[in-house]
Amino acid sequence: MSAPVALIDCNNYYVSCERAFDASLCGVPVIVLSNNDGCAIARSAEAKALGIRMGEPVHLIRDKIQKHGIRVMSSNYALYGDIQRRVVAAIEPFARDFEIYSIDETFVDFAGFEHLDLVAHSRAMREQVKQWTTIPTCVGIAPTKTLAKLANAAAKKNPIFDGVADLRSEEIRRWVLDQFEVGDVWGIGRATTEKLAALEIKTAGQLRDMALKHSRGVGGVVLERVVAELRGVPSSVIETIEPQRKGMAVTWSFGSPITDIDMLMGAVTQYAMRAGEKLRQHGLVAGRLTVFFHTNRHKQDRPQYSATRTLSLQPMTNDGLTLLAYARRGIESAWREGYGITKAGVMLEDLMEADRRPRTLFEEDNERRSRLMVAMDEVNGRFGKFAIVPASQGFKRQWKARSDAKSPNYTTRIAEVPAVKAR
DNA sequence: TCTGGGGTCCTAGGACCC
DNA sequence: TCTGGGGTCCTAGGACCC
């Protein structure tokens, strides 16, 4: 038997974060919206019970929101990111190694802890997170990461587990796998679900029993690995070192379509500058920049246009104004009159640590420019995102994201820290 | 179906080389 | 002009995830 792995996953994470600082949100239905206040991406148990689905567009459920008094929050990523740090700090003492898998999930390596009662150990870990952060969690324990994901889902779904499901026993595993559909398995999306359905494979248990060779033919190495993991044979490991990121993107949708190139340039200016800021925050430079924009694909009765331009950055850079110049060039070459653009973005690839970047022969000394960038970052950090912007960004910002109901930055801005009044 | 932004990994196919 | 096999690298697109 391979070493046990646990997945600790926060319940309704964004909603739980909002509740940590606003008690009026407790016990009532709450949803948190995506960027631009577009659709519901987190739901409290009460909201789920009212039938609100993951990703549901908010404009389709206005009636329901009114009728049931559902509380609606814009997303506040500064808050969720800061609380994540505290959650991880609470988990840390419970294992030697762990992998932060997403903003609300951490894989914990229990190798060397097998002599303990791991269920009790996991309960203590949950308790610690709850006490330090108020965030409720569930834990799944199993021999592989894929099974730990399912164990966690079982712990969330079935009260019998009381928040911690241990799938190390063959018997319980069999029982749980038969209860989940194939599409619930980590790594099985819509396309693969359909392929498998055609083969009469509908439950996680049936997928586990699929011949390995057959699975490879149907879904490549990815599916083969999933099947192996469902059998308890690890084909992935806990990644304890944060991998070097390969790309980053700043993209956005426009509420009303853009038909004017200057408006698009204004938006793209903002994205290019933001992309540069992200690069500098991570101490990286980029070797390639892609700009894209396209019309609304959901409205096929309107004229469609989609454009992408990829430019190679030489020398590699993280200078916002340079990125902007490339992005503008890309837009200019791709622009066509007569279309309503609803989405655009800037993507950076070929990332490398800034101090390891290759120098070019005739590279100018751009120390002044990098000092300018540092200064801009500082000013914008202190006085707000748009304190200093290139003139091409314009002043109207009609493409500005909607965020009508954002909670304060309780933990990351000194002016917004909640005050406790003595009586 | 309505619809969000930001990521990763895998595969197929073309260009190019020996 | 017709004829081979085998390898690498790059890119675009699909699939999936949170």
Side-chain angles (χ1 to χ4, degrees):
Chain A
M1 177 69 87
S2 50
V5 171
L7 176 70
I8 178 164
D9 183 321
C10 302
N11 303 349
N12 316 327
Y13 182 59
Y14 295 174
V15 170
S16 299
C17 289
E18 297 292 343
R19 283 175 168 171
F21 286 92
D22 184 350
S24 77
L25 296 174
C26 298
V28 300
V30 183
I31 57 174
V32 176
L33 304 183
S34 61
N35 283 319
N36 230 359
D37 290 350
C39 43
I41 53 168
R43 306 152 295 153
S44 72
E46 299 83 359
K48 286 177 189 169
L50 289 172
I52 300 202
R53 282 164 308 178
M54 181 66 177
E56 191 139 302
V58 69
H59 67 90
L60 293 184
I61 52 172
R62 288 277 175 223
D63 289 353
K64 220 180 241 181
I65 290 171
Q66 272 277 312
K67 187 170 160 205
H68 301 283
I70 299 171
R71 296 283 302 273
V72 178
M73 305 296 292
S74 301
S75 35
N76 181 349
Y77 292 101
L79 177 66
Y80 313 149
D82 188 63
I83 290 183
Q84 177 192 27
R85 259 192 330 106
R86 297 159 200 254
V87 168
V88 172
I91 294 169
E92 238 181 305
F94 288 85
R96 275 194 287 273
D97 282 319
F98 57 89
E99 169 187 345
I100 300 170
Y101 174 66
S102 75
I103 196 159
D104 65 340
E105 294 167 275
T106 301
F107 283 108
V108 179
D109 187 351
F110 277 155
F113 288 66
E114 292 94 334
H115 60 287
L116 297 178
D117 175 346
L118 287 180
V119 172
H121 187 66
S122 299
R123 289 197 194 290
M125 178 166 69
R126 283 181 86 202
E127 217 23 68
Q128 182 89 292
V129 172
K130 177 101 187 167
Q131 200 189 341
W132 288 14
T133 65
T134 79
I135 304 292
T137 56
C138 283
V139 181
I141 307 167
T144 66
K145 288 166 89 174
T146 304
L147 283 169
K149 286 281 274 189
L150 269 185
N152 193 288
K156 283 211 159 74
K157 185 167 143 184
N158 196 331
I160 212 176
F161 291 113
D162 192 20
V164 180
D166 180 358
L167 295 198
R168 284 176 297 165
S169 118
E170 183 77 36
E171 209 178 326
I172 297 178
R173 206 148 81 212
R174 198 160 279 284
W175 181 68
V176 166
L177 257 64
D178 286 338
Q179 292 178 24
F180 281 96
E181 291 173 19
V182 94
D184 296 329
V185 176
W186 191 34
I188 308 298
R190 229 176 50 195
T192 311
T193 300
E194 269 171 37
K195 273 197 221 167
L196 291 171
L199 299 166
E200 292 297 318
I201 294 172
K202 302 202 168 136
T203 69
Q206 290 170 332
L207 180 60
R208 172 205 52 211
D209 295 335
M210 188 181 190
L212 274 182
K213 241 188 165 169
H214 190 195
S215 70
R216 189 174 187 127
V218 172
V221 293
V222 177
L223 187 60
E224 189 182 22
R225 284 197 279 233
V226 169
V227 174
E229 290 235 330
L230 286 178
R231 294 180 186 182
V233 180
S235 57
S236 63
V237 293
I238 306 259
E239 310 276 356
T240 54
I241 300 161
E242 204 182 329
Q244 162 82 63
R245 49 153 81 225
K246 309 216 157 102
M248 58 175 61
V250 181
T251 69
W252 223 275
S253 296
F254 307 116
S256 48
I258 286 184
T259 51
D260 176 302
I261 188 170
D262 291 329
M263 287 270 293
L264 181 59
M265 285 292 189
V268 166
T269 299
Q270 185 184 321
Y271 308 152
M273 297 305 285
R274 172 73 193 120
E277 203 179 311
K278 269 169 90 170
L279 276 179
R280 295 191 292 278
Q281 272 167 9
H282 289 87
L284 299 170
V285 288
R288 209 152 43 139
L289 176 145
T290 299
V291 276
F292 74 88
F293 56 92
H294 58 74
T295 47
N296 189 346
R297 288 176 177 150
H298 304 296
K299 305 253 162 92
Q300 284 296 330
D301 50 325
R302 296 190 199 161
Q304 297 287 311
Y305 181 55
S306 166
T308 307
R309 292 289 183 275
T310 299
L311 301 144
S312 152
L313 300 168
Q314 276 183 328
M316 297 176 90
T317 186
N318 59 19
D319 178 274
L321 296 173
T322 306
L323 297 175
L324 172 56
Y326 279 92
R328 290 182 66 95
R329 206 186 305 160
I331 297 283
E332 265 159 22
S333 87
W335 179 257
R336 300 275 183 284
E337 289 293 337
Y339 297 96
I341 304 304
T342 55
K343 186 169 171 132
V346 172
M347 300 187 295
L348 300 170
E349 291 164 294
D350 283 357
L351 306 187
M352 175 183 277
E353 283 162 49
D355 45 21
R356 288 181 48 221
R357 78 177 201 283
R359 304 303 174 117
T360 51
L361 190 52
F362 298 108
E363 199 169 317
E364 298 167 43
D365 176 18
N366 51 11
E367 205 217 324
R368 283 168 58 88
R369 269 294 268 280
S370 61
R371 289 213 317 260
L372 172 62
M373 288 301 132
V374 171
M376 277 186 71
D377 291 346
E378 272 180 23
V379 171
N380 287 338
R382 198 177 313 168
F383 298 105
K385 266 198 263 189
F386 302 117
I388 300 189
V389 301
S392 59
Q393 187 167 318
F395 298 100
K396 288 200 195 132
R397 293 220 313 278
Q398 290 177 36
W399 58 88
K400 186 179 173 298
R402 260 224 301 283
S403 181
D404 291 337
K406 192 164 88 80
S407 50
N409 292 306
Y410 296 112
T411 60
T412 53
R413 266 191 99 84
I414 193 73
E416 298 178 23
V417 169
V420 179
K421 286 187 191 141
R423 302 209 310 170

